[in-house]
């Protein structure tokens, strides 16, 4: 293969992704593109999202048509010199395809890569990827989510860290039979025990929304355990919250109703696919999940406002802390990040809603690395 030619391939976002299709090209042949700039928009079974260029280069060939589904790892574009001949490009494509192994054939193995650990009477589902000799990074999702919420973050950051993500009790594939009248400390204790059983002595926590509130509580009560905190749209720093989102998520039992609820999470709601809606509905219909979500909702809400005041706890923590907030967050206003002490770095991201780690994943990944390092 020509040394001046660089292949750009279909990325793998999350354990279950087998294939994807390009719904929009953001660059034309002959244009230069920098690493981190949006190259294409890709639709998977779960989401539509921008794929940012992994390298600097000049686009010299588009290798698939719009809306053509191809397996993960397939050649989608070629970077190279503008003077590269058609014969060189065609030879490169032929050699690439001859050597290409369809990784989607291993999807069953990938999906079974999650493990379960018993914490008291609960099964906790989790996924680990990365080198055990590197710093530990633990992701904690928000209300109604699961470990797949980190599909754009965990695999990328596993190149630099030993990463863990988990399904909180009452979510995903973890146990749904949780105790009544629980508080945020219930989740804190479970995650601390999770770390103990996995022999994680020091961790860097990335929490989203409700998971960010749990992260604050963990760091405040276990100062020797946590090295840094990255909080994405955290609860606990103010009173206002769109309680109708939580109520609507619990009650939605049709694709139409659920779509109206999930659209509140994003600046650009076109990210939501039909398959994603079907998958969330499937999970919501598991035995016990409605009861569990109602209990967890009451951990967050009281009289339609936020129940937990974690601001002082956060300001008492003496480790590196970054807060990441979408400027257009419709669930929890980013104004809650105002007037924190100067040791806490606040990052407000434009054109971004409540799910910054999905909508602006590369920017969030960079901020996570910057905070930890």
């Amino acid at each position: 293969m020509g040394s001046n030619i660089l292949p750009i391939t279909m990325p793998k976002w999350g354990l279950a992704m087998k294939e994807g299709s390009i719904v929009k090209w953001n660059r034309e042949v002959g244009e230069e593109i920098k690493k981190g700039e949006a190259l294409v928009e890709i639709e998977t079974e779960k989401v539509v999202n921008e794929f940012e260029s992994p390298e600097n280069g000049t686009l010299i060939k588009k290798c698939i048509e719009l809306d053509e589904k191809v397996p993960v790892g397939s050649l989608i574009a070629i970077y190279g010199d503008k003077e590269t001949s058609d014969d060189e490009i065609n030879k490169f494509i032929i050699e690439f395809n001859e050597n290409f192994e369809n990784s989607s054939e291993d999807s069953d193995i990938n999906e079974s890569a999650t493990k379960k650990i018993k914490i008291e009477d609960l099964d906790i589902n989790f996924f680990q990827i990365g080198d055990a000799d590197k710093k530990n990074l633990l992701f904690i999702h928000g209300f109604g989510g699961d470990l797949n919420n980190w599909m754009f973050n965990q695999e990328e950051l596993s190149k630099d860290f030993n990463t863990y993500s988990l399904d909180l009790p009452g979510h995903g594939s973890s146990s749904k039979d949780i105790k009544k009248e629980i508080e945020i400390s219930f989740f804190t204790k479970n995650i601390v025990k999770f770390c103990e059983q996995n022999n994680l002595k020091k961790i860097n926590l990335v929490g989203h929304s409700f998971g960010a509130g749990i992260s604050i509580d963990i760091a405040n009560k276990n100062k020797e355990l946590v090295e840094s905190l990255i909080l994405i749209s955290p609860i606990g720093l103010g009173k206002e919250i769109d309680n109708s989102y939580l109520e609507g998520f619990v009650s939605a039992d049709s694709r139409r109703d659920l779509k109206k609820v999930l659209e509140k999470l994003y600046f650009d709601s076109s990210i939501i696919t039909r398959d994603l809606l079907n998958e969330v509905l499937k999970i919501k219909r598991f035995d016990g999940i409605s009861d569990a979500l109602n209990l967890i909702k009451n951990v967050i809400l009281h009289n339609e406002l936020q129940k937990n005041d974690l601001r002082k706890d956060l300001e008492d923590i003496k480790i590196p802390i970054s807060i990441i907030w979408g400027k257009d967050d419709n669930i929890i206003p980013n104004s809650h990040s105002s007037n924190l002490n100067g040791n806490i770095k606040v990052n407000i991201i434009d054109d971004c809603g409540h799910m910054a780690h999905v909508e602006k994943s590369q920017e969030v990944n960079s901020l996570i690395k910057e905070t930890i390092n």
Side-chain angles (χ1 to χ4, degrees), residues 265-268 325-330 349-357 359-360 364:
L265 294 174
Y266 301 98
F267 173 77
D268 181 3
W325 224 306
K327 186 176 181 180
D328 301 280
D329 191 331
N330 293 315
I349 301 180
D350 291 336
D351 300 334
C352 182
H354 192 63
M355 303 287 284
H357 51 300
E359 290 194 282
K360 300 292 183 180
V364 169

Side-chain angles (χ1 to χ4, degrees), residues 182-188 210 213-214 217 235 299 308 310:
I182 56 173
E183 298 294 341
I184 202 167
S185 58
F186 167 80
F187 297 93
T188 294
F210 177 53
I214 296 169
D217 197 50
I235 67 164
V299 175
N308 301 278
L310 302 171

Side-chain angles (χ1 to χ4, degrees), residues 15 114-117 119 122-127 138-142 144-150 154 164-176 178 186-187 190-191 194 214 279 283 286 289 296:
L15 292 174
T114 60
K115 300 176 183 178
K116 281 190 169 65
I117 190 170
I119 298 178
L122 298 175
D123 289 323
I124 301 300
N125 187 55
F126 74 97
F127 175 57
L138 174 60
F139 296 95
I140 307 177
H141 65 77
D146 61 22
L147 59 79
N148 289 305
N149 289 170
W150 305 106
Q154 185 171 8
Y164 289 79
S165 59
L166 51 75
D167 293 335
L168 290 170
H171 295 78
S173 296
S174 290
S175 294
K176 311 301 185 296
I178 60 178
F186 167 80
F187 297 93
N190 272 274
I191 292 173
F194 173 87
I214 296 169
E279 180 173 326
I283 293 172
F286 288 167
I289 197 163
I296 297 166

Side-chain angles (χ1 to χ4, degrees), residues 4-5 60 81-91:
N4 64 324
I5 295 179
I60 60 172
D81 298 331
K82 291 181 180 180
E83 294 77 18
T84 306
S85 68
D86 289 343
D87 286 343
E88 288 180 282
I89 293 173
N90 291 333
K91 181 181 178 183

Side-chain angles (χ1 to χ4, degrees), residues 243-254:
N243 67 290
S244 67
Y245 167 75
L246 281 77
E247 302 279 1
F249 184 87
V250 174
S251 63
D253 60 1
S254 71

Side-chain angles (χ1 to χ4, degrees), residues 89-200:
I89 293 173
N90 291 333
K91 181 181 178 183
F92 182 93
I93 293 172
I94 291 170
E95 289 186 27
F96 183 96
N97 289 333
E98 285 177 348
N99 291 288
F100 173 64
E101 294 183 6
N102 186 352
S103 60
S104 68
E105 295 173 357
D106 297 326
S107 60
D108 291 339
I109 296 173
N110 290 333
E111 291 183 55
S112 67
T114 60
K115 300 176 183 178
K116 281 190 169 65
I117 190 170
K118 181 74 75 173
I119 298 178
E120 295 184 349
D121 58 344
L122 298 175
D123 289 323
I124 301 300
N125 187 55
F126 74 97
F127 175 57
Q128 182 275 330
I129 182 173
D131 189 339
D133 292 332
K134 295 180 178 178
K135 290 185 177 183
N136 299 312
L137 178 57
L138 174 60
F139 296 95
I140 307 177
H141 65 77
F143 176 82
D146 61 22
L147 59 79
N148 289 305
N149 289 170
W150 305 106
M151 68 175 74
F152 301 116
N153 317 105
Q154 185 171 8
E155 187 165 347
E156 175 66 24
L157 291 169
S158 70
K159 299 171 185 176
D160 299 295
F161 306 104
N162 181 33
T163 67
Y164 289 79
S165 59
L166 51 75
D167 293 335
L168 290 170
H171 295 78
S173 296
S174 290
S175 294
K176 311 301 185 296
D177 186 18
I178 60 178
K179 300 174 183 177
K180 293 184 179 180
E181 298 180 2
I182 56 173
E183 298 294 341
I184 202 167
S185 58
F186 167 80
F187 297 93
T188 294
K189 291 174 182 176
N190 272 274
I191 292 173
V192 171
K193 289 178 181 177
F194 173 87
C195 293
E196 290 173 354
Q197 290 196 38
N198 283 285
N199 197 31
L200 303 178

